Amino acid sequence: MNGRFWLILIAIVYALLLGVSSCSSEPAALTSEQKRLNLESFDQVWTTVKDKHFDTTFGGVDWPAVRDELRPRMEQAATVAEARGILRDMLSRLGLSHFNIISAELYENIDGSAKTGDADGVTGLDARVIDNAALVTAVAEGTPAEAAGIRPGWEILAINGEDIPPLLPPIAEEYK
């Protein structure tokens, strides 16, 4: 399997978890640099959806109005969890379960070699996390997943040698 396949599979597994922002007992206040980066992130996510979303009507969502409403909230976000929650709120308005924000802390748990692929490819499979198990729910014909012999119902146990089941409870905790 090429690195692109595994990178996309990892992103699918992580992104399919629904959630809201995580909370810690004492969230750290953001620095001015962190606030600037949060605004840049907001703009990048909003613009990427605007420019690349497969549905030019955004499922009936007034995408510019979403930006007008939420960007001022991002400017006022006092913690990383609050900023992440605003991004999740923005994406959730599209009503698509596979659009989500993955925290850097969780993403860093992924083996660095899996992060080097080209993210523009297509795996050809759908996966869902059900009861702390990552399960393949569909495989499209003529795709890398089908060529690899992947079948619906399979549990994803490892990606590039990284055990998946131990990663799921901390992810579920962040996204509950």
Side-chain angles (χ1 to χ4, degrees):
M1 301 288 156
N2 65 29
R4 174 177 30 185
F5 175 83
W6 294 118
L7 175 65
I8 293 169
L9 185 56
I10 288 168
I12 290 169
V13 169
Y14 282 90
L16 289 174
L17 293 169
L18 297 175
V20 296
S21 65
S22 65
C23 299
S24 63
S25 58
E26 199 60 42
L30 298 176
T31 66
S32 59
E33 176 65 6
Q34 288 170 315
K35 288 182 178 189
R36 184 187 67 75
L37 290 172
N38 283 341
L39 282 173
E40 282 183 17
S41 295
F42 180 94
D43 292 339
Q44 182 175 1
V45 170
W46 185 88
T47 300
T48 299
V49 170
K50 178 183 74 69
D51 293 346
K52 298 186 183 249
H53 195 280
F54 63 90
D55 176 4
T56 58
T57 69
F58 306 100
V61 174
D62 183 345
W63 199 239
V66 169
R67 182 182 191 280
D68 293 345
E69 175 191 343
L70 295 180
R71 194 171 194 284
R73 284 182 44 203
M74 182 62 86
E75 290 172 351
Q76 299 303 314
T79 66
V80 170
E82 187 179 347
R84 192 177 300 137
I86 293 165
L87 288 172
R88 286 187 180 131
D89 181 10
M90 176 174 57
L91 292 176
S92 73
R93 296 187 186 198
L94 295 169
L96 300 170
S97 64
H98 55 283
F99 283 33
N100 212 326
I101 302 298
I102 303 167
S103 71
E105 296 83 15
L106 290 175
Y107 195 73
E108 287 171 1
N109 287 331
I110 300 169
D111 179 7
S113 64
K115 294 189 252 181
T116 61
D118 175 6
D120 291 333
V122 174
T123 62
L125 66 84
D126 288 327
R128 299 286 184 267
V129 176
I130 302 169
D131 296 329
N132 283 326
L135 302 175
V136 175
T137 58
V139 178
E141 291 183 25
T143 63
E146 182 188 46
I150 295 173
R151 301 287 174 249
W154 283 14
E155 181 177 358
I156 302 168
L157 298 175
I159 299 173
N160 273 359
E162 179 95 23
D163 290 336
I164 297 303
L167 298 176
L168 298 178
I171 295 167
E173 180 64 27
E174 174 158 333
Y175 289 92
K176 72 176 183 177

Short mmCIF file of all heavy atoms in Angstrom, two decimals, residues 16-75:
data_model
loop_
_atom_site.label_atom_id
_atom_site.label_comp_id
_atom_site.label_asym_id
_atom_site.label_seq_id
_atom_site.Cartn_x
_atom_site.Cartn_y
_atom_site.Cartn_z
N LEU A 16 -14.27 10.52 11.31
CA LEU A 16 -15.63 10.01 11.40
C LEU A 16 -16.20 10.05 12.80
O LEU A 16 -17.37 9.79 12.99
CB LEU A 16 -15.68 8.57 10.86
CG LEU A 16 -15.50 8.50 9.36
CD1 LEU A 16 -15.42 7.06 8.91
CD2 LEU A 16 -16.64 9.19 8.66
N LEU A 17 -15.39 10.37 13.76
CA LEU A 17 -15.91 10.50 15.12
C LEU A 17 -16.59 11.85 15.27
O LEU A 17 -16.04 12.88 14.95
CB LEU A 17 -14.76 10.40 16.14
CG LEU A 17 -14.11 9.03 16.20
CD1 LEU A 17 -12.83 9.11 17.01
CD2 LEU A 17 -15.05 8.02 16.79
N LEU A 18 -17.83 11.83 15.75
CA LEU A 18 -18.55 13.09 15.98
C LEU A 18 -18.06 13.67 17.29
O LEU A 18 -17.60 12.97 18.16
CB LEU A 18 -20.05 12.83 16.06
CG LEU A 18 -20.68 12.29 14.80
CD1 LEU A 18 -22.14 11.98 15.06
CD2 LEU A 18 -20.54 13.29 13.68
N GLY A 19 -18.22 14.97 17.47
CA GLY A 19 -17.83 15.49 18.75
C GLY A 19 -17.97 16.97 18.91
O GLY A 19 -18.35 17.68 18.00
N VAL A 20 -17.69 17.38 20.10
CA VAL A 20 -17.62 18.77 20.47
C VAL A 20 -16.25 19.00 21.07
O VAL A 20 -15.49 18.07 21.26
CB VAL A 20 -18.72 19.15 21.48
CG1 VAL A 20 -20.09 19.00 20.85
CG2 VAL A 20 -18.63 18.31 22.73
N SER A 21 -15.94 20.22 21.40
CA SER A 21 -14.60 20.53 21.88
C SER A 21 -14.32 19.83 23.19
O SER A 21 -15.20 19.58 24.00
CB SER A 21 -14.44 22.03 22.06
OG SER A 21 -15.30 22.49 23.05
N SER A 22 -13.05 19.50 23.40
CA SER A 22 -12.64 18.88 24.65
C SER A 22 -12.48 19.94 25.72
O SER A 22 -12.30 21.11 25.44
CB SER A 22 -11.32 18.14 24.45
OG SER A 22 -10.31 19.07 24.15
N CYS A 23 -12.59 19.50 26.94
CA CYS A 23 -12.47 20.43 28.06
C CYS A 23 -11.39 19.93 29.00
O CYS A 23 -11.28 18.75 29.25
CB CYS A 23 -13.78 20.53 28.83
SG CYS A 23 -15.14 21.14 27.83
N SER A 24 -10.62 20.82 29.54
CA SER A 24 -9.67 20.46 30.58
C SER A 24 -10.06 21.24 31.81
O SER A 24 -10.84 22.18 31.75
CB SER A 24 -8.24 20.79 30.14
OG SER A 24 -8.10 22.17 29.95
N SER A 25 -9.51 20.87 32.96
CA SER A 25 -9.92 21.51 34.20
C SER A 25 -9.53 22.98 34.23
O SER A 25 -10.24 23.79 34.79
CB SER A 25 -9.31 20.77 35.39
OG SER A 25 -7.90 20.76 35.27
N GLU A 26 -8.42 23.34 33.64
CA GLU A 26 -7.96 24.73 33.65
C GLU A 26 -7.38 25.08 32.29
O GLU A 26 -6.18 24.97 32.08
CB GLU A 26 -6.91 24.89 34.75
CG GLU A 26 -6.66 26.32 35.20
CD GLU A 26 -7.91 26.99 35.77
OE1 GLU A 26 -8.66 26.36 36.52
OE2 GLU A 26 -8.13 28.15 35.43
N PRO A 27 -8.23 25.51 31.32
CA PRO A 27 -7.71 25.80 29.99
C PRO A 27 -6.75 26.99 30.00
O PRO A 27 -6.98 27.96 30.70
CB PRO A 27 -8.95 26.11 29.16
CG PRO A 27 -10.05 26.34 30.12
CD PRO A 27 -9.65 25.74 31.43
N ALA A 28 -5.70 26.84 29.22
CA ALA A 28 -4.70 27.90 29.13
C ALA A 28 -5.21 29.02 28.23
O ALA A 28 -5.82 28.78 27.21
CB ALA A 28 -3.39 27.34 28.58
N ALA A 29 -4.94 30.25 28.63
CA ALA A 29 -5.31 31.42 27.82
C ALA A 29 -4.42 31.46 26.57
O ALA A 29 -3.26 31.07 26.61
CB ALA A 29 -5.15 32.69 28.62
N LEU A 30 -4.98 31.94 25.50
CA LEU A 30 -4.25 32.00 24.24
C LEU A 30 -3.34 33.22 24.19
O LEU A 30 -3.71 34.30 24.66
CB LEU A 30 -5.23 32.06 23.07
CG LEU A 30 -6.15 30.86 22.89
CD1 LEU A 30 -7.12 31.12 21.74
CD2 LEU A 30 -5.36 29.60 22.64
N THR A 31 -2.20 33.04 23.56
CA THR A 31 -1.31 34.17 23.31
C THR A 31 -1.84 34.90 22.08
O THR A 31 -2.67 34.38 21.33
CB THR A 31 0.12 33.69 23.04
OG1 THR A 31 0.13 32.95 21.82
CG2 THR A 31 0.66 32.85 24.19
N SER A 32 -1.32 36.09 21.82
CA SER A 32 -1.74 36.82 20.61
C SER A 32 -1.36 36.06 19.35
O SER A 32 -2.10 36.07 18.36
CB SER A 32 -1.16 38.23 20.61
OG SER A 32 0.25 38.17 20.64
N GLU A 33 -0.23 35.36 19.37
CA GLU A 33 0.18 34.55 18.22
C GLU A 33 -0.79 33.40 18.01
O GLU A 33 -1.17 33.10 16.87
CB GLU A 33 1.61 34.02 18.42
CG GLU A 33 2.09 33.10 17.32
CD GLU A 33 2.24 33.77 15.94
OE1 GLU A 33 2.08 35.00 15.82
OE2 GLU A 33 2.51 33.03 14.98
N GLN A 34 -1.20 32.73 19.08
CA GLN A 34 -2.17 31.64 18.95
C GLN A 34 -3.50 32.15 18.42
O GLN A 34 -4.14 31.51 17.59
CB GLN A 34 -2.38 30.94 20.30
CG GLN A 34 -1.19 30.10 20.72
CD GLN A 34 -1.33 29.62 22.15
OE1 GLN A 34 -1.68 30.37 23.06
NE2 GLN A 34 -1.04 28.34 22.35
N LYS A 35 -3.92 33.33 18.86
CA LYS A 35 -5.17 33.91 18.35
C LYS A 35 -5.05 34.20 16.86
O LYS A 35 -5.99 33.95 16.09
CB LYS A 35 -5.53 35.17 19.13
CG LYS A 35 -6.01 34.89 20.54
CD LYS A 35 -6.38 36.16 21.25
CE LYS A 35 -6.90 35.84 22.64
NZ LYS A 35 -7.48 37.00 23.30
N ARG A 36 -3.91 34.72 16.45
CA ARG A 36 -3.68 35.00 15.03
C ARG A 36 -3.73 33.70 14.23
O ARG A 36 -4.38 33.64 13.17
CB ARG A 36 -2.33 35.68 14.83
CG ARG A 36 -2.04 36.09 13.38
CD ARG A 36 -0.63 36.60 13.19
NE ARG A 36 0.38 35.57 13.38
CZ ARG A 36 0.66 34.60 12.50
NH1 ARG A 36 -0.01 34.51 11.36
NH2 ARG A 36 1.59 33.71 12.74
N LEU A 37 -3.08 32.66 14.73
CA LEU A 37 -3.09 31.37 14.04
C LEU A 37 -4.50 30.76 13.99
O LEU A 37 -4.87 30.14 13.00
CB LEU A 37 -2.11 30.40 14.71
CG LEU A 37 -0.63 30.74 14.51
CD1 LEU A 37 0.23 29.83 15.38
CD2 LEU A 37 -0.23 30.65 13.06
N ASN A 38 -5.28 30.95 15.06
CA ASN A 38 -6.66 30.46 15.05
C ASN A 38 -7.47 31.14 13.95
O ASN A 38 -8.25 30.49 13.26
CB ASN A 38 -7.33 30.67 16.40
CG ASN A 38 -6.87 29.66 17.43
OD1 ASN A 38 -6.33 28.61 17.10
ND2 ASN A 38 -7.08 29.98 18.69
N LEU A 39 -7.29 32.46 13.81
CA LEU A 39 -8.00 33.18 12.74
C LEU A 39 -7.56 32.71 11.36
O LEU A 39 -8.38 32.53 10.46
CB LEU A 39 -7.79 34.68 12.88
CG LEU A 39 -8.63 35.37 13.96
CD1 LEU A 39 -8.20 36.82 14.12
CD2 LEU A 39 -10.11 35.27 13.64
N GLU A 40 -6.26 32.48 11.20
CA GLU A 40 -5.76 31.96 9.92
C GLU A 40 -6.35 30.58 9.64
O GLU A 40 -6.74 30.28 8.51
CB GLU A 40 -4.23 31.88 9.93
CG GLU A 40 -3.55 33.20 9.72
CD GLU A 40 -2.03 33.06 9.66
OE1 GLU A 40 -1.51 31.93 9.47
OE2 GLU A 40 -1.36 34.09 9.82
N SER A 41 -6.42 29.75 10.69
CA SER A 41 -7.01 28.42 10.52
C SER A 41 -8.47 28.52 10.14
O SER A 41 -8.94 27.81 9.24
CB SER A 41 -6.86 27.61 11.82
OG SER A 41 -5.51 27.36 12.09
N PHE A 42 -9.20 29.39 10.82
CA PHE A 42 -10.61 29.59 10.50
C PHE A 42 -10.77 29.97 9.03
O PHE A 42 -11.57 29.37 8.30
CB PHE A 42 -11.22 30.67 11.39
CG PHE A 42 -12.67 30.92 11.13
CD1 PHE A 42 -13.65 30.27 11.86
CD2 PHE A 42 -13.07 31.80 10.13
CE1 PHE A 42 -14.99 30.48 11.61
CE2 PHE A 42 -14.41 32.03 9.87
CZ PHE A 42 -15.38 31.36 10.60
N ASP A 43 -9.99 30.97 8.61
CA ASP A 43 -10.09 31.43 7.22
C ASP A 43 -9.72 30.33 6.23
O ASP A 43 -10.36 30.18 5.18
CB ASP A 43 -9.20 32.66 7.00
CG ASP A 43 -9.71 33.89 7.74
OD1 ASP A 43 -10.92 33.94 8.09
OD2 ASP A 43 -8.90 34.81 7.96
N GLN A 44 -8.70 29.54 6.57
CA GLN A 44 -8.28 28.48 5.66
C GLN A 44 -9.35 27.39 5.56
O GLN A 44 -9.65 26.92 4.46
CB GLN A 44 -6.96 27.86 6.13
CG GLN A 44 -6.46 26.79 5.19
CD GLN A 44 -5.10 26.26 5.57
OE1 GLN A 44 -4.50 26.66 6.55
NE2 GLN A 44 -4.61 25.33 4.78
N VAL A 45 -9.93 26.99 6.68
CA VAL A 45 -10.97 25.97 6.64
C VAL A 45 -12.19 26.49 5.87
O VAL A 45 -12.71 25.81 4.99
CB VAL A 45 -11.36 25.52 8.07
CG1 VAL A 45 -12.61 24.66 8.05
CG2 VAL A 45 -10.20 24.78 8.73
N TRP A 46 -12.63 27.71 6.19
CA TRP A 46 -13.80 28.28 5.51
C TRP A 46 -13.56 28.37 4.01
O TRP A 46 -14.41 27.98 3.21
CB TRP A 46 -14.13 29.66 6.10
CG TRP A 46 -15.40 30.22 5.52
CD1 TRP A 46 -16.68 30.03 5.97
CD2 TRP A 46 -15.50 31.04 4.35
NE1 TRP A 46 -17.57 30.68 5.16
CE2 TRP A 46 -16.88 31.31 4.15
CE3 TRP A 46 -14.59 31.58 3.46
CZ2 TRP A 46 -17.35 32.10 3.10
CZ3 TRP A 46 -15.05 32.35 2.41
CH2 TRP A 46 -16.42 32.61 2.24
N THR A 47 -12.39 28.88 3.61
CA THR A 47 -12.07 29.06 2.19
C THR A 47 -11.94 27.71 1.48
O THR A 47 -12.39 27.56 0.34
CB THR A 47 -10.78 29.89 2.03
OG1 THR A 47 -10.99 31.16 2.65
CG2 THR A 47 -10.41 30.08 0.57
N THR A 48 -11.33 26.73 2.14
CA THR A 48 -11.20 25.41 1.52
C THR A 48 -12.56 24.82 1.23
O THR A 48 -12.80 24.29 0.14
CB THR A 48 -10.39 24.47 2.44
OG1 THR A 48 -9.08 25.03 2.62
CG2 THR A 48 -10.27 23.08 1.84
N VAL A 49 -13.48 24.92 2.18
CA VAL A 49 -14.84 24.42 1.94
C VAL A 49 -15.49 25.20 0.81
O VAL A 49 -16.08 24.62 -0.10
CB VAL A 49 -15.69 24.48 3.23
CG1 VAL A 49 -17.15 24.19 2.94
CG2 VAL A 49 -15.14 23.51 4.28
N LYS A 50 -15.37 26.53 0.83
CA LYS A 50 -15.97 27.37 -0.21
C LYS A 50 -15.46 26.99 -1.60
O LYS A 50 -16.22 26.87 -2.55
CB LYS A 50 -15.68 28.85 0.05
CG LYS A 50 -16.23 29.81 -1.03
CD LYS A 50 -15.87 31.24 -0.78
CE LYS A 50 -14.46 31.61 -1.05
NZ LYS A 50 -13.97 31.63 -2.39
N ASP A 51 -14.15 26.76 -1.71
CA ASP A 51 -13.54 26.52 -3.01
C ASP A 51 -13.62 25.06 -3.47
O ASP A 51 -13.58 24.81 -4.67
CB ASP A 51 -12.06 26.93 -2.98
CG ASP A 51 -11.88 28.43 -2.83
OD1 ASP A 51 -12.86 29.18 -3.02
OD2 ASP A 51 -10.74 28.85 -2.51
N LYS A 52 -13.71 24.12 -2.54
CA LYS A 52 -13.55 22.71 -2.93
C LYS A 52 -14.74 21.82 -2.58
O LYS A 52 -14.72 20.64 -2.89
CB LYS A 52 -12.29 22.14 -2.29
CG LYS A 52 -11.05 22.87 -2.78
CD LYS A 52 -9.79 22.23 -2.28
CE LYS A 52 -8.61 23.04 -2.74
NZ LYS A 52 -7.81 22.40 -3.72
N HIS A 53 -15.75 22.36 -1.92
CA HIS A 53 -16.88 21.51 -1.53
C HIS A 53 -17.57 20.97 -2.78
O HIS A 53 -17.77 21.68 -3.75
CB HIS A 53 -17.87 22.32 -0.69
CG HIS A 53 -18.85 21.48 0.04
ND1 HIS A 53 -19.97 20.95 -0.56
CD2 HIS A 53 -18.88 21.06 1.33
CE1 HIS A 53 -20.65 20.25 0.33
NE2 HIS A 53 -20.01 20.29 1.47
N PHE A 54 -17.93 19.70 -2.73
CA PHE A 54 -18.53 19.04 -3.89
C PHE A 54 -19.91 19.60 -4.24
O PHE A 54 -20.35 19.49 -5.37
CB PHE A 54 -18.63 17.53 -3.67
CG PHE A 54 -19.54 17.14 -2.52
CD1 PHE A 54 -20.88 16.91 -2.73
CD2 PHE A 54 -19.03 17.02 -1.23
CE1 PHE A 54 -21.72 16.56 -1.68
CE2 PHE A 54 -19.86 16.68 -0.18
CZ PHE A 54 -21.21 16.45 -0.40
N ASP A 55 -20.59 20.19 -3.26
CA ASP A 55 -21.94 20.74 -3.47
C ASP A 55 -21.84 22.26 -3.44
O ASP A 55 -21.65 22.86 -2.38
CB ASP A 55 -22.87 20.23 -2.37
CG ASP A 55 -24.28 20.81 -2.46
OD1 ASP A 55 -24.58 21.57 -3.41
OD2 ASP A 55 -25.08 20.51 -1.56
N THR A 56 -21.98 22.89 -4.60
CA THR A 56 -21.82 24.34 -4.66
C THR A 56 -22.92 25.10 -3.94
O THR A 56 -22.79 26.30 -3.71
CB THR A 56 -21.76 24.81 -6.13
OG1 THR A 56 -22.95 24.40 -6.80
CG2 THR A 56 -20.53 24.24 -6.84
N THR A 57 -23.99 24.39 -3.53
CA THR A 57 -25.04 25.05 -2.73
C THR A 57 -24.84 24.80 -1.24
O THR A 57 -25.62 25.28 -0.43
CB THR A 57 -26.45 24.53 -3.13
OG1 THR A 57 -26.58 23.16 -2.71
CG2 THR A 57 -26.68 24.67 -4.62
N PHE A 58 -23.80 24.03 -0.88
CA PHE A 58 -23.48 23.72 0.52
C PHE A 58 -24.68 23.14 1.26
O PHE A 58 -24.89 23.40 2.44
CB PHE A 58 -22.94 24.96 1.25
CG PHE A 58 -21.78 25.61 0.55
CD1 PHE A 58 -21.97 26.74 -0.23
CD2 PHE A 58 -20.51 25.07 0.63
CE1 PHE A 58 -20.91 27.32 -0.90
CE2 PHE A 58 -19.44 25.65 -0.04
CZ PHE A 58 -19.65 26.78 -0.81
N GLY A 59 -25.47 22.35 0.53
CA GLY A 59 -26.64 21.73 1.14
C GLY A 59 -27.66 22.74 1.62
O GLY A 59 -28.40 22.48 2.57
N GLY A 60 -27.69 23.91 0.98
CA GLY A 60 -28.63 24.95 1.38
C GLY A 60 -28.13 25.87 2.47
O GLY A 60 -28.82 26.80 2.88
N VAL A 61 -26.91 25.65 2.95
CA VAL A 61 -26.32 26.49 3.99
C VAL A 61 -25.77 27.77 3.35
O VAL A 61 -25.10 27.71 2.32
CB VAL A 61 -25.18 25.74 4.73
CG1 VAL A 61 -24.46 26.64 5.70
CG2 VAL A 61 -25.74 24.50 5.43
N ASP A 62 -26.08 28.91 3.95
CA ASP A 62 -25.54 30.19 3.48
C ASP A 62 -24.12 30.29 4.03
O ASP A 62 -23.89 30.78 5.14
CB ASP A 62 -26.42 31.34 4.00
CG ASP A 62 -25.96 32.71 3.49
OD1 ASP A 62 -24.82 32.83 2.99
OD2 ASP A 62 -26.75 33.65 3.63
N TRP A 63 -23.16 29.80 3.23
CA TRP A 63 -21.78 29.69 3.70
C TRP A 63 -21.17 31.06 4.05
O TRP A 63 -20.49 31.17 5.07
CB TRP A 63 -20.95 28.92 2.67
CG TRP A 63 -19.68 28.38 3.23
CD1 TRP A 63 -18.43 28.65 2.80
CD2 TRP A 63 -19.53 27.48 4.35
NE1 TRP A 63 -17.49 28.00 3.56
CE2 TRP A 63 -18.15 27.26 4.52
CE3 TRP A 63 -20.42 26.86 5.21
CZ2 TRP A 63 -17.65 26.45 5.53
CZ3 TRP A 63 -19.92 26.04 6.21
CH2 TRP A 63 -18.54 25.84 6.36
N PRO A 64 -21.37 32.11 3.27
CA PRO A 64 -20.84 33.42 3.68
C PRO A 64 -21.44 33.89 5.02
O PRO A 64 -20.74 34.50 5.83
CB PRO A 64 -21.23 34.35 2.53
CG PRO A 64 -21.30 33.44 1.34
CD PRO A 64 -21.89 32.16 1.87
N ALA A 65 -22.71 33.59 5.27
CA ALA A 65 -23.32 33.99 6.53
C ALA A 65 -22.71 33.23 7.70
O ALA A 65 -22.57 33.79 8.81
CB ALA A 65 -24.84 33.76 6.49
N VAL A 66 -22.32 31.98 7.47
CA VAL A 66 -21.66 31.20 8.52
C VAL A 66 -20.35 31.88 8.91
O VAL A 66 -20.03 32.04 10.09
CB VAL A 66 -21.42 29.74 8.06
CG1 VAL A 66 -20.51 29.00 9.02
CG2 VAL A 66 -22.75 29.02 7.90
N ARG A 67 -19.60 32.33 7.89
CA ARG A 67 -18.34 33.04 8.17
C ARG A 67 -18.62 34.32 8.94
O ARG A 67 -17.95 34.63 9.93
CB ARG A 67 -17.61 33.36 6.87
CG ARG A 67 -16.27 34.06 7.10
CD ARG A 67 -15.60 34.40 5.77
NE ARG A 67 -14.24 34.82 5.96
CZ ARG A 67 -13.87 36.05 6.35
NH1 ARG A 67 -14.77 36.97 6.60
NH2 ARG A 67 -12.59 36.34 6.50
N ASP A 68 -19.61 35.10 8.49
CA ASP A 68 -19.93 36.37 9.14
C ASP A 68 -20.33 36.17 10.60
O ASP A 68 -20.02 36.99 11.45
CB ASP A 68 -21.05 37.09 8.39
CG ASP A 68 -20.62 37.56 7.00
OD1 ASP A 68 -19.40 37.59 6.73
OD2 ASP A 68 -21.52 37.87 6.20
N GLU A 69 -21.02 35.08 10.88
CA GLU A 69 -21.44 34.81 12.26
C GLU A 69 -20.32 34.29 13.14
O GLU A 69 -20.15 34.73 14.27
CB GLU A 69 -22.57 33.77 12.24
CG GLU A 69 -23.01 33.34 13.63
CD GLU A 69 -23.92 32.13 13.62
OE1 GLU A 69 -24.49 31.79 12.56
OE2 GLU A 69 -24.08 31.52 14.69
N LEU A 70 -19.52 33.35 12.61
CA LEU A 70 -18.56 32.64 13.47
C LEU A 70 -17.17 33.27 13.54
O LEU A 70 -16.47 33.08 14.53
CB LEU A 70 -18.44 31.18 13.02
CG LEU A 70 -19.72 30.35 13.18
CD1 LEU A 70 -19.48 28.92 12.70
CD2 LEU A 70 -20.21 30.37 14.61
N ARG A 71 -16.75 34.02 12.54
CA ARG A 71 -15.40 34.59 12.59
C ARG A 71 -15.24 35.54 13.79
O ARG A 71 -14.21 35.49 14.47
CB ARG A 71 -15.02 35.28 11.29
CG ARG A 71 -13.51 35.57 11.23
CD ARG A 71 -13.09 36.04 9.86
NE ARG A 71 -11.65 36.02 9.69
CZ ARG A 71 -10.81 36.92 10.21
NH1 ARG A 71 -11.27 37.90 10.96
NH2 ARG A 71 -9.52 36.83 9.99
N PRO A 72 -16.23 36.40 14.09
CA PRO A 72 -16.07 37.24 15.30
C PRO A 72 -15.96 36.41 16.58
O PRO A 72 -15.23 36.78 17.50
CB PRO A 72 -17.35 38.09 15.30
CG PRO A 72 -17.77 38.14 13.87
CD PRO A 72 -17.41 36.80 13.30
N ARG A 73 -16.65 35.27 16.62
CA ARG A 73 -16.51 34.40 17.79
C ARG A 73 -15.10 33.84 17.87
O ARG A 73 -14.54 33.71 18.96
CB ARG A 73 -17.53 33.26 17.72
CG ARG A 73 -18.94 33.71 18.08
CD ARG A 73 -19.95 32.59 18.07
NE ARG A 73 -19.51 31.36 18.69
CZ ARG A 73 -20.03 30.16 18.43
NH1 ARG A 73 -21.02 30.03 17.56
NH2 ARG A 73 -19.57 29.09 19.03
N MET A 74 -14.51 33.52 16.71
CA MET A 74 -13.14 33.01 16.69
C MET A 74 -12.18 34.10 17.16
O MET A 74 -11.24 33.82 17.90
CB MET A 74 -12.75 32.53 15.29
CG MET A 74 -11.34 31.95 15.21
SD MET A 74 -11.09 30.49 16.23
CE MET A 74 -11.65 29.22 15.12
N GLU A 75 -12.43 35.34 16.78
CA GLU A 75 -11.58 36.45 17.24
C GLU A 75 -11.60 36.57 18.75
O GLU A 75 -10.61 36.98 19.36
CB GLU A 75 -12.05 37.76 16.61
CG GLU A 75 -11.78 37.85 15.12
CD GLU A 75 -12.42 39.07 14.47
OE1 GLU A 75 -13.22 39.78 15.13
OE2 GLU A 75 -12.14 39.31 13.28
#
